[in-house]
Amino acid sequence: MQAGSTVMVVEDDAAVRTVVTDHLRLAGCQVMPHRDGALAWEAFQQTPPDLLILDRMLPGLSGDELCRRVREVSAVPILMLTALGSLEHRIDGLENGADDYLAKPFSLRELQLRVNVQLRRGNPSAPLAFHAGPFRVDAEHRRVWLDGREIALTTREYELLVYLVRNPDRVISRDEILREVWRWGFGDASTVTVHVRRLREKIEADPKIPAYLCTEWGAGYRFVLDGNG
């Protein structure tokens, strides 16, 4: 973990909140623990953290609603930590703007790895700014423009888009995306599907007929820089 990073933990279960808070503090993070979703939202607006970890079932304001509100104003990474671990619930969480989803019960080792991924910044050896077709990327500030218009992206959407623009005209499987973008050796491929859909809504004139982020049925995705997919 990146020592000094600020993490907000929103969890109404006192035991879970304490364990997660203590673990993150031992790792060098500054932790802002909350049990109530509404109070966490007020605190977030005053002092946005580097990472938000939240339960889905919260008093005051649900985790889903808190996630949606945060996503309207910020691209801060969001990790949902919840007992609702079915595929449908995971997809719902991702649709609401979460970047990752960890179901209870969980190991602190897995939590640490997922937090590491969310806090990790771009490869320092990569160019800090570059153009790829109509896309301009500022890696230092993690910003992207398309035809001169800045695109508001979450952390995961940014990392996915940058990986795609750096690998144009090549069929990329969802397993490869999970491995290279999420840093997962295995995982639920529907995570990629949800993020691709969200990314298309931001970069495509018509997300139903994508010109840049094209589906190669049965194989994965192909990114077309000239927009003639």
Side-chain angles (χ1 to χ4, degrees):
M1 296 184 189
Q2 295 185 5
S5 297
T6 302
V7 182
M8 180 179 288
V9 177
V10 191
E11 168 63 66
D12 64 334
D13 186 312
V16 175
R17 186 172 64 251
T18 298
V19 168
V20 172
T21 296
D22 289 349
H23 180 77
L24 294 175
R25 283 176 174 162
L26 285 173
C29 294
Q30 300 178 32
V31 185
M32 305 158 60
H34 293 277
R35 67 169 299 276
D36 181 281
L39 295 178
W41 171 235
E42 293 179 6
F44 182 94
Q45 295 176 88
Q46 296 175 7
T47 310
D50 298 310
L51 171 66
L52 175 61
I53 299 176
L54 72 156
D55 190 13
R56 198 167 177 194
M57 308 298 289
L58 294 170
L61 191 71
S62 73
D64 286 340
E65 179 60 27
L66 177 56
C67 186
R68 285 191 290 267
R69 291 190 185 186
V70 168
R71 197 48 80 224
E72 289 176 356
V73 300
S74 172
V76 64
I78 299 176
L79 169 61
M80 277 197 164
L81 189 68
T82 177
L84 299 175
S86 71
L87 175 60
E88 181 179 352
H89 286 135
R90 291 198 301 273
I91 291 177
D92 284 346
L94 296 170
E95 291 280 17
N96 287 326
D99 295 286
D100 200 357
Y101 205 107
L102 183 58
K104 302 173 184 175
F106 59 90
S107 72
L108 289 176
R109 173 61 176 161
E110 183 176 8
L111 172 68
Q112 177 179 328
L113 290 173
R114 290 179 183 254
V115 168
N116 286 347
V117 169
Q118 294 303 324
L119 292 175
R120 183 183 296 121
R121 289 306 178 231
N123 183 353
S125 65
L128 292 181
F130 64 93
H131 285 81
F135 294 89
R136 180 165 69 89
V137 178
D138 177 352
E140 181 177 8
H141 301 99
R142 301 173 69 82
R143 299 169 68 186
V144 179
W145 291 261
L146 171 58
D147 291 327
R149 174 182 59 86
E150 185 169 5
I151 309 167
L153 300 172
T154 68
T155 296
R156 188 65 78 195
E157 290 165 357
Y158 167 84
E159 293 170 349
L160 174 59
L161 179 58
V162 169
Y163 185 73
L164 292 170
V165 300
R166 284 179 168 154
N167 292 272
D169 300 315
R170 182 169 71 84
V171 177
I172 304 174
S173 69
R174 292 192 293 178
D175 286 343
E176 178 180 339
I177 292 174
L178 279 175
R179 183 175 64 253
E180 299 298 329
V181 178
W182 269 256
R183 307 296 183 188
W184 295 355
F186 61 91
D188 185 352
S190 66
T191 299
V192 175
T193 304
V194 171
H195 280 81
V196 165
R197 182 163 62 247
R198 284 165 43 185
L199 185 56
R200 279 175 172 158
E201 291 173 354
K202 297 184 177 183
I203 68 172
E204 302 285 1
D206 184 350
K208 295 181 180 179
I209 309 175
Y212 296 107
L213 213 177
C214 305
T215 298
E216 295 289 339
W217 296 107
Y221 302 98
R222 182 169 53 89
F223 201 78
V224 183
L225 282 177
D226 62 11
N228 292 316

